[in-house]
């Protein structure tokens, strides 16, 4: 009997026990074969998106490589279900925070765009204007300002995390974010004034 075939005769708990003792990835591979469709199904149920569910499956099994070494597991299936559920909940919280921060940034930058009395720009157009020029403006910033703003507002990183990632001090991180935000606002203001001027000339 081939070695890979003998894994199929082992219980989940035997596979976990042997993995903890040997760190042989073949045992993780067997667990992946057994549970990938179930993990995907739970992820899809919570995340409601096939691509997000597929990404979550890979992240969860990568996490198992270290988690199975640390935790004493008596029954794998319910424990794994809890791990999957918690992962999905963390994704929800992270996306909610990311969305909130990004919305805050767009709201701050959007203050410079005001509809004139003739309302030649509607709210949807205003939002699209800010979003487009926010993207353009990010590329115009100094590198350290762009990196810090993207990490803080778009990746939900804390000041301390950004400091670790970039090597900048926490005070520098805060300064780069504030200065970058001001420069972004100036960039969008200038673009808005150009748009207003062009509109008035066409009247």
């Amino acid at each position: 009997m081939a070695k890979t075939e003998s894994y199929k005769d082992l219980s989940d708990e035997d596979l976990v026990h042997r993995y903890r003792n040997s760190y042989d990835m073949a045992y993780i591979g067997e667990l992946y074969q057994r549970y990938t469709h179930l993990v995907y199904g739970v992820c899809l149920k919570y995340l409601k998106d096939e691509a997000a569910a597929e990404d979550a499956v890979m992240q969860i099994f990568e996490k198992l490589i270290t988690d199975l070494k640390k935790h004493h597991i008596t029954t794998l299936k319910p424990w794994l279900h809890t791990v999957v559920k918690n992962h999905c909940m963390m994704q929800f919280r992270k996306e909610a925070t990311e969305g909130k921060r990004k919305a805050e940034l767009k709201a701050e930058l959007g203050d410079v765009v005001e509809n004139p009395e003739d309302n030649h720009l509607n709210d949807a157009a205003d939002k699209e204007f800010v979003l487009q020029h926010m993207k353009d403006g990010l590329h115009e910033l100094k590198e350290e300002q762009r990196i810090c703003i993207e990490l803080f507002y778009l990746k939900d990183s804390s000041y301390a995390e950004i400091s670790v990632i970039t090597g900048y001090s926490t005070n520098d991180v805060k300064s780069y974010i504030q200065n970058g935000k001001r420069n972004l606002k100036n960039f969008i203001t200038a673009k808005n004034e150009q748009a207003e001027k062009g509109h008035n000339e066409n009247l």
Side-chain angles (χ1 to χ4, degrees), residues 87-202:
H87 180 87
C88 293
M89 293 300 98
M90 286 179 64
Q91 286 294 104
F92 281 136
R93 287 194 291 270
K94 182 178 180 182
E95 288 173 6
T97 305
E98 286 178 354
K100 182 179 179 181
R101 280 193 183 174
K102 189 173 182 180
E104 288 173 354
L105 178 61
K106 286 195 289 186
E108 287 188 50
L109 299 177
D111 290 343
V112 305
V113 181
E114 297 180 359
N115 287 334
E117 291 182 1
D118 61 6
N119 198 31
H120 76 280
L121 286 176
N122 58 33
D123 287 341
D126 280 347
K127 291 176 182 177
E128 182 60 30
F129 181 92
V130 171
L131 182 60
Q132 179 58 50
H133 290 294
M134 181 177 78
K135 292 178 180 177
D136 294 341
L138 280 170
H139 292 295
E140 297 295 322
L141 296 178
K142 294 180 180 178
E143 182 179 13
E144 58 269 20
Q145 294 176 1
R146 176 183 58 77
I147 290 172
C148 289
I149 283 181
E150 287 180 344
L151 287 172
F152 184 76
Y153 284 105
L154 308 184
K155 301 296 183 182
D156 189 34
S157 299
S158 66
Y159 294 133
E161 288 170 337
I162 297 172
S163 180
V164 171
I165 292 169
T166 61
Y168 307 143
S169 70
T170 303
N171 286 337
D172 283 342
V173 168
K174 293 178 180 179
S175 177
Y176 291 146
I177 290 172
Q178 290 301 317
N179 291 336
K181 201 161 53 173
R182 184 182 65 248
N183 290 334
L184 268 180
K185 203 163 188 174
N186 290 340
F187 180 86
I188 293 175
T189 298
K191 293 295 182 182
N192 186 53
E193 289 175 351
Q194 290 176 13
E196 289 292 324
K197 182 178 179 182
H199 172 73
N200 292 333
E201 288 176 351
N202 290 329

